[in-house]
Amino acid sequence: MRTKSFSIVARFLIIINAAVVVVVALICAVIGLHLYEKNAEQFHGFTVQHTAIISTAINIFMQNAERSVEMLAETTQLKKADHTIYNYTEASQGIQGNTHNGQVERDILAVFDTIAKTHPAFQVIYMGMNWGSHVSTNRNVSAGYDPRQRPWYKKAAAADGKTVITDAYVSINGQPTITFARMVHSDTDEVLGCVGLDVSLTDLTSLIRGIQLGKTGYCMLVQDNGMILADPKHEQYNFKLMQETQNQALTKIAAASADSTLVTLDGKKQRAYIFPLPEFQWKIIILVEQDEISSLFYALVQNMLIIGSLMIMSCFVLAFVVSRRMKRRLVRYESLFGKIAAGDLTGRIEINRNDELGLLMGMFNDTIEHTHSMIDVLKHEVDAMDAVGSELSSNMEETVA
């Protein structure tokens, strides 16, 4: 008993649709991967553009303070600093003759006050001398204050005349602050001391907090040591080290060596783009939800799937129509071959095409025609032989009789 198998038409439909599905799947996979990479590249370029704008704003802000302290270090009044300037270390020791009435100190304070009035971000301007005197726009300096022991003074004194920037800190009035400092020389190139400028970062951090990229993106400002200067989404972490926040995402970002890393923050997958500012030892970190980055990719993939499904359906319909035509033709061939198998050689294949199949059909018809002719000839010969045999048999019977 022969087992039933798929018909040729069914196999044709399966093969055609399987081939179409494979081709569409490969096209979607290749194009989808390219689109994903292109989408990620475009979004990275988008963040780079915004970071360049932020970096420019930071540079302008910082250069303003840096040039101001450089200008102060070259001011004539500061270059004339002498021992008449009030010395808080001597005052704490009870040394007499220490006053704020010296002309040199008043001249320096006049310069400082003028700068402070025109630059609201400059909190305090001051100068420490290498013999311990100190003059400042802050009139409430504690007795015994020695500028030479302060980190800003030591850093500037060791910088060989270059402007230095301290790490950010919270000032006594609660504002995020950094200090610019630079060594001051007399006209005879004698080292007199260092001038310092405390700059509030309030405006800068407000700028950072106000930046939004796309629907979910925001910006962080972090020192290279991990100190968070501005984090608009987690203000409780400001002026804490990222490593000490006990937030795994921030800890991972702090340890990241690449220009971007994927983290889970606030229960959502987010891409962190890291852009260093080496001249200030800061970093700009942009965080964007991964779903937003991939949203364009997902939309394109969805469209590709719809188009692919339509292509598969169209090919299926086309293959079905073709297979139906094939089936009708095969049914006719089956009937013809059945007659031939039964000995009826009068049937012929109807030819309505001029291609290779039409040629084969014509050859098949010729073969059947020749076979039919040969069989007719053989039948005629057999009939003739039968007639001769009958005649011979009759003659032999007459002869015997």
Side-chain angles (χ1 to χ4, degrees):
M1 181 177 179
R2 296 178 60 185
T3 58
K4 187 175 181 180
S5 61
F6 285 110
S7 66
I8 293 177
V9 173
R11 292 176 184 177
F12 175 77
L13 284 174
I14 293 173
I15 292 172
I16 291 296
N17 284 282
V20 171
V21 169
V22 170
V23 171
V24 171
L26 286 174
I27 292 174
C28 288
V30 172
I31 296 178
L33 179 61
H34 177 72
L35 287 176
Y36 180 81
E37 293 175 349
K38 195 69 176 177
N39 185 54
E41 181 181 341
Q42 287 178 345
F43 205 93
H44 185 267
F46 172 72
T47 59
V48 168
Q49 291 177 354
H50 278 73
T51 302
I53 297 172
I54 299 169
S55 178
T56 299
I58 292 174
N59 275 315
I60 292 173
F61 179 87
M62 301 292 279
Q63 286 175 5
N64 181 41
E66 188 172 356
R67 289 171 182 169
S68 295
V69 80
E70 290 175 1
M71 180 197 69
L72 286 170
E74 298 299 324
T75 302
T76 301
Q77 290 85 340
L78 272 66
K79 287 178 172 291
K80 292 181 179 180
D82 57 22
H83 289 265
T84 63
I85 297 174
Y86 194 85
N87 192 316
Y88 292 89
T89 59
E90 292 180 355
S92 65
Q93 298 170 8
I95 299 176
Q96 301 297 318
N98 210 8
T99 70
H100 291 288
N101 298 323
Q103 185 61 44
V104 173
E105 182 170 342
R106 291 202 301 269
D107 290 344
I108 292 175
L109 278 175
V111 174
F112 288 173
D113 289 338
T114 300
I115 297 293
K117 288 178 182 178
T118 57
H119 296 78
F122 296 172
Q123 292 181 303
V124 186
I125 307 174
Y126 43 84
M127 178 179 177
M129 270 54 74
N130 61 7
W131 54 86
S133 293
H134 181 74
V135 56
S136 171
T137 54
N138 176 18
R139 305 301 198 264
N140 299 316
V141 180
S142 302
Y145 179 82
D146 189 346
R148 296 168 297 183
Q149 304 304 316
R150 308 305 297 173
W152 64 269
Y153 188 99
K154 291 180 179 180
K155 191 172 183 179
D160 194 26
K162 297 179 181 178
T163 301
V164 297
I165 306 172
T166 67
D167 289 339
Y169 58 93
V170 180
S171 65
I172 56 175
N173 59 7
Q175 294 187 13
T177 305
I178 56 174
T179 297
F180 291 78
R182 187 182 180 92
M183 188 181 292
V184 178
H185 294 80
S186 68
D187 289 332
T188 58
D189 207 29
E190 176 189 358
V191 176
L192 300 176
C194 299
V195 60
L197 184 64
D198 289 353
V199 181
S200 171
L201 296 179
T202 301
D203 291 341
L204 188 58
T205 54
S206 296
L207 172 67
I208 297 297
R209 283 194 295 268
I211 293 173
Q212 183 172 353
L213 293 90
K215 295 179 180 179
T216 63
Y218 66 96
C219 182
M220 291 176 61
L221 186 62
V222 181
Q223 286 185 165
D224 282 351
N225 63 0
M227 177 75 74
I228 300 173
L229 303 181
D231 183 353
K233 296 290 185 180
H234 312 91
E235 303 228 352
Q236 70 273 22
Y237 294 151
N238 286 342
F239 283 90
K240 291 182 180 180
L241 292 174
M242 299 176 77
Q243 304 88 323
E244 297 176 354
T245 59
Q246 297 183 346
N247 186 305
Q248 293 183 354
L250 296 181
T251 302
K252 183 177 180 180
I253 294 173
S257 57
D259 57 358
S260 72
T261 184
L262 188 64
V263 298
T264 301
L265 184 61
D266 299 330
K268 298 178 180 179
K269 290 285 186 182
Q270 300 196 37
R271 174 70 62 177
Y273 297 93
I274 305 169
F275 300 92
L277 300 174
E279 61 271 34
F280 309 124
Q281 296 182 341
W282 290 355
K283 295 176 183 176
I284 296 173
I285 300 175
I286 294 177
L287 290 109
V288 186
E289 291 184 11
Q290 186 67 23
D291 286 345
E292 180 179 354
I293 298 174
S294 304
S295 59
L296 178 60
F297 167 71
Y298 291 147
L300 291 173
V301 168
Q302 184 177 9
N303 291 335
M304 286 172 57
L305 290 175
I306 293 173
I307 294 172
S309 299
L310 292 175
M311 288 177 61
I312 292 173
M313 292 175 62
S314 300
C315 289
F316 178 81
V317 171
L318 180 61
F320 182 77
V321 171
V322 172
S323 66
R324 289 292 298 271
R325 293 185 62 184
M326 288 178 59
K327 185 175 182 179
R328 288 196 296 269
R329 186 176 293 274
L330 289 174
V331 168
R332 291 198 299 269
Y333 292 167
E334 182 180 2
S335 175
L336 174 63
F337 292 152
K339 290 179 180 180
I340 293 174
D344 184 359
L345 300 180
T346 58
R348 298 292 182 271
I349 297 176
E350 181 182 352
I351 302 173
N352 53 8
R353 54 197 305 162
N354 297 320
D355 55 9
E356 289 82 356
L357 287 176
L359 181 61
L360 289 174
M361 292 175 185
M363 291 180 178
F364 179 82
N365 286 339
D366 292 342
T367 301
I368 297 299
E369 182 67 31
H370 292 159
T371 302
H372 190 201
S373 299
M374 290 174 62
I375 291 174
D376 285 343
V377 170
L378 288 174
K379 185 177 180 181
H380 177 74
E381 293 295 331
V382 168
D383 290 342
M385 291 293 290
D386 285 342
V388 171
S390 297
E391 183 177 354
L392 289 174
S393 178
S394 298
N395 291 334
M396 286 178 66
E397 288 178 354
E398 290 176 1
T399 302
V400 173

